[in-house]
Amino acid sequence: MPASTPFDDFLAGYAAAVRARDVAAFLALYDPALHVFDMWQAAPVEGLPPWHAMAEGWFGGLGEETVVVTWRQADAQVDGDLAIGHAILTFAAHAADGQRLRQLDNRLSVAMRRGADGWRVFHEHTSAPIAHQGLQAILQLP
């Protein structure tokens, strides 16, 4: 079995933080000089303060729902103190009784660097393909 990469650790930490709605654990995955191209926001996110506000709004708006994040097609390359990774993430909303309510897929790419406090994401890009016919985002990927 291949050794775990910093990207594997990021994915596991991300899924755990989202499921627990733990804003502090979520933000701990990211570098203070973060730059995000988020598919849900028109403007890039620069730095942790707006990313913090996004996470609080997201987690706080879930009500009784829990979001379970899984991933597939994950791959990463590590070279010294830099790592890049990409995967397809599935976000599944579950009711308090555990029933799956809905889900969507995102494509994710991240760039990470190792610092004194460990590996942190300094660039993140999420997207969904756009169908030529109708110009709609495809949120259920094969």
Side-chain angles (χ1 to χ4, degrees), residues 45-94:
V45 175
E46 298 281 350
L48 285 180
W51 202 232
H52 184 191
M54 180 284 302
E56 283 188 337
W58 177 22
F59 298 164
L62 292 173
E64 295 298 313
E65 294 179 6
T66 300
V67 175
V68 177
V69 179
T70 56
W71 57 92
R72 62 188 189 278
Q73 300 178 17
D75 190 32
Q77 300 293 317
V78 181
D79 189 0
D81 291 336
L82 294 175
I84 58 168
H86 59 86
I88 296 174
L89 303 186
T90 298
F91 295 81
H94 294 261

Side-chain angles (χ1 to χ4, degrees), residues 1-15 69-78 83-90 106-110 112 141-142:
M1 178 161 210
S4 175
T5 68
F7 183 58
D8 296 322
D9 297 340
F10 165 78
L11 291 170
Y14 184 96
V69 179
T70 56
W71 57 92
R72 62 188 189 278
Q73 300 178 17
D75 190 32
Q77 300 293 317
V78 181
I84 58 168
H86 59 86
I88 296 174
L89 303 186
T90 298
N106 272 359
R107 300 181 300 189
L108 168 78
S109 297
V110 300
M112 306 174 73
L141 299 173

Side-chain angles (χ1 to χ4, degrees), residues 13-35:
Y14 184 96
V18 170
R19 185 177 194 127
R21 297 186 227 178
D22 186 337
V23 174
F26 183 81
L27 293 175
L29 300 169
Y30 294 93
D31 189 90
L34 177 65
H35 183 96

